[in-house]
Amino acid sequence: VEEAKKLFDQYAEAFPKLNKYLKEQAEFGKRNYYIPINHIHKGRRWFKDLYDYRQANVSYKEIKIQEGIVERASMNTPIQGTAAVAVKNALVDLREYLIKEGLWQDKVYIICTVHDQIDFEVHQDYLHIIPDLERIMIEAGNKYVTKVNMEVDTTITDQWKK
């Protein structure tokens, strides 16, 4: 526990603006019983359980446990929510591009997504389109994350890897 606290303190010191933002998110969620999913869409994640706990006749300890859950969710939701919306947007843009190029479900398949990863199967003769796919994904991310440059990591293999 002590080592984890030390790492967290080092992280907070290295990224003071991010740390301030996360603390503000945690307090907002506890105070308002919801957190916006991201700064563009109107979606909200509601924390009805915290409201219910505060209205019910439960112990101080139970309320503090629920507040801790809301704090963590309030810090995580905008980050994960923004990533999820960016990936969905990228999938739409990628599909439109592949249809326009006559490659959809013929030479290029979108296989799956895992968190912020999009996996493709691309026919060997069409590997030259990889930079276009990367560009589309970067542009989709840049619609939501505007203060840092988005990057795409690409791995090309003959078979699935762990």
Side-chain angles (χ1 to χ4, degrees), residues 11-25:
Y11 183 84
E13 188 177 317
F15 301 101
K17 287 182 183 178
L18 177 61
N19 190 51
K20 180 178 183 267
Y21 167 79
L22 293 173
K23 285 182 179 180
E24 288 170 354
Q25 293 299 104

Side-chain angles (χ1 to χ4, degrees), residues 39-83:
H39 66 283
I40 294 174
H41 293 88
K42 305 279 190 251
R44 294 177 173 183
R45 179 175 181 183
W46 290 93
F47 303 120
K48 185 178 180 320
D49 288 348
L50 177 58
Y51 178 84
D52 291 344
Y53 270 70
R54 287 180 175 167
Q55 302 304 312
N57 187 20
V58 297
S59 71
Y60 177 79
K61 181 180 178 183
E62 289 174 303
I63 291 173
K64 285 300 180 189
I65 290 170
Q66 192 62 37
E67 284 181 350
I69 292 168
V70 169
E71 286 175 352
R72 289 185 295 281
S74 295
M75 290 186 279
N76 187 46
T77 295
I79 296 165
Q80 294 297 328
T82 300

Side-chain angles (χ1 to χ4, degrees), residues 2 4 12 35 48 65-66 70 91 96 104 107 110 131 148:
E2 197 59 38
I35 196 75
K48 185 178 180 320
I65 290 170
Q66 192 62 37
V70 169
L91 288 168
E96 288 174 359
W104 176 251
K107 302 297 182 195
I110 298 175
V148 295

Side-chain angles (χ1 to χ4, degrees), residues 41 82-96 118 136-137 139-141 143-144:
H41 293 88
T82 300
V85 170
V87 167
K88 286 188 264 184
N89 196 310
L91 288 168
V92 169
D93 294 348
L94 289 162
R95 181 178 182 273
E96 288 174 359
I118 303 173
I136 291 165
M137 289 184 282
E139 288 172 357
K143 292 176 188 173
Y144 302 96

Side-chain angles (χ1 to χ4, degrees), residues 92-110:
V92 169
D93 294 348
L94 289 162
R95 181 178 182 273
E96 288 174 359
Y97 166 81
L98 294 170
I99 289 171
K100 185 181 113 204
E101 296 297 317
L103 302 171
W104 176 251
Q105 303 295 62
D106 181 32
K107 302 297 182 195
V108 180
Y109 297 88
I110 298 175

